[in-house]
Coordinates of all heavy atoms in Angstrom, one line a residue:
N1 N 0.8 -1.2 0.0 CA 0.0 0.0 0.0 C 0.8 1.3 0.0 O 0.4 2.3 -0.4 CB -1.0 0.0 1.2 CG -2.2 -0.8 0.9 OD1 -2.4 -1.3 -0.2 ND2 -3.0 -1.0 1.9
R2 N 2.1 1.2 0.4 CA 2.9 2.4 0.4 C 3.3 2.7 -1.0 O 3.4 3.9 -1.3 CB 4.2 2.1 1.3 CG 4.9 3.3 1.6 CD 6.0 3.1 2.6 NE 7.3 3.5 2.0 CZ 8.4 2.9 1.9 NH1 8.5 1.7 2.5 NH2 9.4 3.3 1.3
F3 N 3.6 1.8 -1.9 CA 4.0 2.0 -3.2 C 2.8 2.0 -4.2 O 3.0 2.5 -5.3 CB 5.0 1.0 -3.7 CG 6.3 1.0 -2.9 CD1 6.6 0.1 -2.0 CD2 7.2 2.1 -3.0 CE1 7.8 0.1 -1.2 CE2 8.3 2.2 -2.3 CZ 8.6 1.2 -1.4
L4 N 1.8 1.4 -3.9 CA 0.6 1.2 -4.8 C 0.1 2.5 -5.3 O -0.2 2.7 -6.5 CB -0.5 0.4 -4.2 CG -1.5 -0.2 -5.1 CD1 -0.9 -1.0 -6.2 CD2 -2.5 -1.1 -4.3
P5 N -0.1 3.6 -4.5 CA -0.6 4.8 -5.0 C 0.3 5.4 -6.1 O -0.1 6.0 -7.1 CB -0.7 5.8 -3.8 CG -0.9 4.8 -2.7 CD -0.1 3.6 -3.0
T6 N 1.6 5.3 -6.0 CA 2.6 5.7 -7.0 C 2.4 4.9 -8.3 O 2.4 5.5 -9.4 CB 4.0 5.6 -6.5 OG1 4.2 6.4 -5.3 CG2 5.0 6.1 -7.5
L7 N 2.3 3.7 -8.1 CA 2.1 2.8 -9.3 C 0.8 3.2 -10.0 O 0.8 3.4 -11.3 CB 2.0 1.3 -8.9 CG 1.8 0.3 -10.0 CD1 2.9 0.4 -11.0 CD2 1.6 -1.1 -9.4
I8 N -0.3 3.4 -9.3 CA -1.6 3.8 -9.9 C -1.4 5.2 -10.5 O -1.9 5.4 -11.7 CB -2.7 3.9 -8.8 CG1 -2.9 2.5 -8.1 CG2 -4.0 4.4 -9.4 CD1 -3.3 1.4 -9.1
H9 N -0.8 6.1 -9.9 CA -0.5 7.4 -10.4 C 0.2 7.3 -11.8 O -0.3 7.9 -12.8 CB 0.3 8.2 -9.4 CG 0.7 9.6 -9.9 ND1 0.2 10.7 -9.4 CD2 1.6 10.0 -10.9 CE1 0.8 11.8 -10.0 NE2 1.6 11.3 -10.9
E10 N 1.3 6.7 -11.8 CA 2.1 6.6 -13.1 C 1.3 5.8 -14.2 O 1.3 6.2 -15.3 CB 3.4 6.0 -12.8 CG 4.3 6.8 -11.9 CD 4.5 8.2 -12.4 OE1 4.5 8.5 -13.6 OE2 4.8 9.1 -11.5
F11 N 0.6 4.8 -13.8 CA -0.2 4.0 -14.8 C -1.3 4.9 -15.4 O -1.6 4.8 -16.6 CB -0.8 2.8 -14.1 CG -1.5 1.9 -15.0 CD1 -0.8 1.1 -15.9 CD2 -2.8 1.7 -14.9 CE1 -1.4 0.2 -16.8 CE2 -3.5 0.8 -15.7 CZ -2.8 0.1 -16.7
N12 N -1.9 5.8 -14.6 CA -3.0 6.6 -15.1 C -2.6 7.6 -16.1 O -3.4 8.1 -16.8 CB -3.7 7.2 -13.9 CG -4.8 6.4 -13.4 OD1 -5.6 5.9 -14.1 ND2 -4.8 6.1 -12.1
H13 N -1.3 8.0 -16.1 CA -0.9 9.0 -17.1 C -1.2 8.5 -18.5 O -1.5 9.3 -19.3 CB 0.6 9.3 -16.9 CG 0.9 10.4 -15.9 ND1 0.5 11.7 -16.0 CD2 1.5 10.3 -14.7 CE1 0.9 12.3 -14.9 NE2 1.5 11.5 -14.1
S14 N -1.0 7.3 -18.7 CA -1.3 6.7 -20.1 C -2.8 6.9 -20.5 O -3.1 6.8 -21.7 CB -0.8 5.3 -20.2 OG -1.5 4.5 -19.3
F15 N -3.6 7.0 -19.5 CA -5.1 7.1 -19.8 C -5.5 8.6 -19.8 O -6.6 8.9 -20.4 CB -5.9 6.4 -18.7 CG -5.7 4.9 -18.7 CD1 -4.9 4.3 -17.8 CD2 -6.3 4.1 -19.7 CE1 -4.7 3.0 -17.8 CE2 -6.1 2.8 -19.7 CZ -5.3 2.2 -18.8
I16 N -4.7 9.5 -19.3 CA -5.1 10.9 -19.1 C -4.4 11.8 -20.1 O -5.1 12.7 -20.7 CB -4.9 11.3 -17.6 CG1 -5.8 10.5 -16.7 CG2 -5.1 12.8 -17.5 CD1 -7.3 10.7 -16.9
N17 N -3.1 11.7 -20.2 CA -2.3 12.8 -20.8 C -2.7 13.1 -22.3 O -2.7 14.2 -22.7 CB -0.8 12.5 -20.8 CG -0.3 12.6 -19.4 OD1 -1.0 12.7 -18.4 ND2 1.0 12.5 -19.3
H18 N -3.2 12.1 -23.0 CA -3.5 12.3 -24.4 C -4.7 13.2 -24.6 O -4.8 13.8 -25.7 CB -3.6 11.0 -25.1 CG -4.8 10.2 -24.8 ND1 -4.9 9.4 -23.6 CD2 -6.1 10.1 -25.3 CE1 -6.1 8.9 -23.6 NE2 -6.8 9.3 -24.6
Y19 N -5.5 13.4 -23.6 CA -6.7 14.3 -23.8 C -6.3 15.7 -24.0 O -7.1 16.5 -24.5 CB -7.7 14.1 -22.7 CG -8.4 12.8 -22.7 CD1 -8.2 11.9 -21.7 CD2 -9.2 12.5 -23.7 CE1 -8.8 10.6 -21.7 CE2 -9.9 11.2 -23.7 CZ -9.7 10.3 -22.7 OH -10.3 9.1 -22.8
L20 N -5.1 16.1 -23.7 CA -4.6 17.5 -23.9 C -3.5 17.5 -25.0 O -2.8 18.5 -25.1 CB -4.1 18.1 -22.6 CG -5.2 18.4 -21.6 CD1 -4.7 19.0 -20.3 CD2 -6.3 19.4 -22.2
D21 N -3.5 16.5 -25.8 CA -2.6 16.5 -27.0 C -3.3 17.3 -28.1 O -4.4 16.9 -28.6 CB -2.3 15.1 -27.4 CG -1.4 15.0 -28.6 OD1 -1.3 16.0 -29.4 OD2 -0.8 13.9 -28.8
E22 N -2.8 18.5 -28.4 CA -3.5 19.4 -29.3 C -3.7 18.8 -30.7 O -4.6 19.1 -31.4 CB -2.7 20.7 -29.4 CG -3.5 21.8 -30.1 CD -2.9 23.1 -29.9 OE1 -1.7 23.3 -29.6 OE2 -3.7 24.1 -30.1
S23 N -2.8 17.8 -31.1 CA -3.0 17.2 -32.5 C -4.2 16.2 -32.5 O -4.7 16.0 -33.5 CB -1.7 16.6 -32.9 OG -1.4 15.5 -32.1
K24 N -4.5 15.7 -31.3 CA -5.6 14.7 -31.2 C -6.9 15.3 -30.7 O -8.0 14.9 -31.2 CB -5.2 13.6 -30.3 CG -4.1 12.7 -30.8 CD -3.7 11.6 -29.8 CE -2.5 10.9 -30.3 NZ -2.0 9.9 -29.3
Y25 N -6.8 16.3 -29.8 CA -8.0 16.9 -29.2 C -7.8 18.4 -29.1 O -7.8 19.0 -28.0 CB -8.2 16.3 -27.7 CG -8.5 14.9 -27.7 CD1 -7.5 13.9 -27.4 CD2 -9.8 14.4 -27.9 CE1 -7.8 12.6 -27.4 CE2 -10.1 13.1 -27.8 CZ -9.1 12.1 -27.6 OH -9.4 10.8 -27.5
P26 N -7.8 19.0 -30.3 CA -7.6 20.5 -30.3 C -8.7 21.2 -29.6 O -8.5 22.3 -29.0 CB -7.5 20.8 -31.8 CG -8.2 19.7 -32.5 CD -7.9 18.5 -31.6
E27 N -9.9 20.7 -29.6 CA -11.1 21.3 -29.0 C -10.9 21.3 -27.5 O -11.3 22.3 -26.8 CB -12.3 20.6 -29.5 CG -13.6 21.5 -29.6 CD -13.4 22.9 -30.2 OE1 -12.8 23.0 -31.3 OE2 -14.0 23.8 -29.6
H28 N -10.4 20.3 -26.9 CA -10.2 20.2 -25.5 C -9.2 21.4 -25.1 O -9.4 22.1 -24.1 CB -9.6 18.9 -25.0 CG -10.5 17.8 -25.1 ND1 -10.1 16.5 -24.9 CD2 -11.8 17.7 -25.4 CE1 -11.1 15.7 -25.0 NE2 -12.2 16.4 -25.3
V29 N -8.1 21.5 -25.8 CA -7.1 22.5 -25.5 C -7.7 23.9 -25.7 O -7.5 24.7 -24.8 CB -5.9 22.3 -26.4 CG1 -4.9 23.4 -26.3 CG2 -5.2 20.9 -26.2
K30 N -8.4 24.1 -26.7 CA -9.0 25.4 -27.0 C -10.0 25.8 -25.9 O -10.0 26.9 -25.4 CB -9.7 25.4 -28.3 CG -10.4 26.7 -28.7 CD -11.1 26.5 -30.1 CE -11.9 27.8 -30.4 NZ -12.7 27.6 -31.6
Q31 N -10.8 24.8 -25.5 CA -11.8 25.1 -24.5 C -11.3 25.3 -23.1 O -11.8 26.0 -22.3 CB -12.9 24.0 -24.5 CG -13.8 24.0 -25.7 CD -14.8 22.9 -25.7 OE1 -15.1 22.4 -24.6 NE2 -15.3 22.5 -26.8
L32 N -10.2 24.6 -22.8 CA -9.7 24.6 -21.4 C -8.5 25.6 -21.2 O -8.3 26.0 -20.1 CB -9.1 23.2 -21.1 CG -8.8 22.8 -19.7 CD1 -9.9 23.1 -18.7 CD2 -8.4 21.3 -19.7
E33 N -7.9 26.0 -22.2 CA -6.7 26.8 -22.1 C -6.8 28.1 -21.3 O -6.0 28.3 -20.4 CB -6.1 27.2 -23.5 CG -4.8 27.9 -23.4 CD -4.2 28.1 -24.8 OE1 -4.9 27.9 -25.8 OE2 -3.0 28.3 -24.9
T34 N -7.8 28.9 -21.5 CA -7.9 30.2 -20.8 C -8.1 29.9 -19.3 O -7.4 30.5 -18.4 CB -9.1 31.0 -21.3 OG1 -8.8 31.3 -22.7 CG2 -9.2 32.3 -20.6
A35 N -9.1 29.1 -18.9 CA -9.3 28.8 -17.5 C -8.1 28.1 -16.8 O -7.7 28.5 -15.7 CB -10.6 27.9 -17.4
A36 N -7.6 27.2 -17.5 CA -6.4 26.4 -16.9 C -5.2 27.4 -16.8 O -4.5 27.2 -15.8 CB -6.1 25.2 -17.8

């Protein structure tokens, strides 16, 4: 349990990061950029 959260964290990057890839999801970037 001490290392598991880190493992889950790193594993989740492969499911999350691509949603802000401008070449794949330009609308996400456009809609989120100002607020973020």
Side-chain angles (χ1 to χ4, degrees):
N1 280 355
R2 195 172 122 226
F3 297 108
L4 195 55
T6 301
L7 180 63
I8 300 299
H9 176 108
E10 296 304 331
F11 186 68
N12 272 309
H13 276 293
S14 61
F15 295 102
I16 296 298
N17 290 10
H18 69 278
Y19 289 113
L20 289 178
D21 180 337
E22 193 164 19
S23 66
K24 294 178 183 172
Y25 295 98
E27 212 42 46
H28 289 174
V29 173
K30 180 181 172 187
Q31 290 179 21
L32 192 52
E33 185 171 17
T34 301

